[in-house]
Amino acid sequence: MGFLSVLSFAHKQIEGRLAPGDIAVDATVGTGADTAFLAKAAGPKGRVYGFDIQEQALRLAEERLSREPAGGMASVSLFLASHARMTSYIPPECRGRVGAVMFNLGYLPATDADKHIITKTESTLEALEASLSLLRPKGIITAVLYPGHAGGAAEAEAVTAWASSLPQDTCQTVMYRQLQRNDAPYVVAIEKKR
């Protein structure tokens, strides 16, 4: 048995923390894989909010969600908006109640997608700050980082520095990374203590 992939590692961290009926956020919807995962984990009484700046991503996510069995998933709201604006779309009563926020940074992995449209460091850092304000105690943020594409290394470095600077009395942060390749994707996870 090998090590978990970065996506599996991110999912594993959330599985133990997101309970049925919880609220979750997919900050970068992409093809909808994380959206569907969160919707299943939160269950029919839960709620998932998803964000992406590309209509194609939202279409792909809707298609993926439509193939899932009805009844076992949380209700999902998808927004054509930057993750940096998530607090403008998520109801105020959710602040301090979100169980998990997932980021899968980089570009849309669809075959016909424009790989020049990528997540940007500034908006990602804003979205991470917003995510912390939404999390409940013991809630988690996972960010899958891709330093191997143009712009990805700078974003990964900034996210890692941001997570490293969080006060230990409020957050615990970990990194999951293959050490032999500088350009390998990796995960930063942040658990809110209080």
Side-chain angles (χ1 to χ4, degrees):
M1 179 176 128
F3 291 113
L4 293 172
S5 71
V6 290
L7 295 175
S8 296
F9 180 83
H11 286 189
K12 200 76 169 159
Q13 298 312 300
I14 287 171
E15 279 174 359
R17 292 170 176 86
L18 192 64
D22 269 351
I23 303 163
V25 177
D26 186 351
T28 51
V29 167
T31 62
D34 291 338
T35 313
F37 164 76
L38 291 169
K40 289 176 196 171
K45 293 185 179 178
R47 186 99 185 115
V48 175
Y49 298 93
F51 299 88
D52 209 291
I53 60 166
Q54 295 183 74
E55 288 183 27
Q56 181 184 11
L58 300 185
R59 277 196 310 276
L60 289 169
E62 287 168 353
E63 288 169 18
R64 184 183 294 260
L65 291 168
S66 72
R67 294 191 299 268
E68 296 292 338
M73 297 196 336
S75 59
V76 176
S77 298
L78 299 176
F79 299 100
L80 184 63
S82 168
H83 50 209
R85 299 191 57 226
M86 68 175 70
T87 55
S88 301
Y89 290 86
I90 297 173
E93 61 270 16
C94 295
R95 188 174 292 266
R97 295 184 50 220
V98 171
V101 182
M102 295 190 79
F103 290 79
N104 196 342
L105 301 170
Y107 52 78
L108 180 61
T111 332
D112 59 343
D114 182 349
K115 305 292 190 272
H116 295 97
I117 301 173
I118 61 171
T119 53
K120 303 288 187 184
T121 303
E122 185 178 308
S123 62
T124 295
L125 293 175
E126 286 179 47
L128 287 164
E129 286 289 346
S131 298
L132 268 182
S133 74
L134 293 169
L135 277 189
R136 63 168 162 71
K138 300 296 180 194
I140 187 170
I141 298 168
T142 61
V144 180
L145 306 162
Y146 297 90
H149 69 84
E155 182 178 48
E157 190 176 304
V159 170
T160 303
W162 174 83
S164 300
S165 73
L166 294 171
Q168 288 184 36
D169 60 334
T170 58
C171 296
Q172 174 177 266
T173 62
V174 298
M175 182 170 32
Y176 180 73
R177 183 175 198 170
Q178 181 183 350
L179 297 176
Q180 297 98 331
R181 283 184 43 221
N182 289 337
D183 65 343
Y186 65 98
V187 178
V188 169
I190 300 113
E191 182 184 54
K192 189 172 187 178
K193 290 183 177 178
R194 54 183 173 91

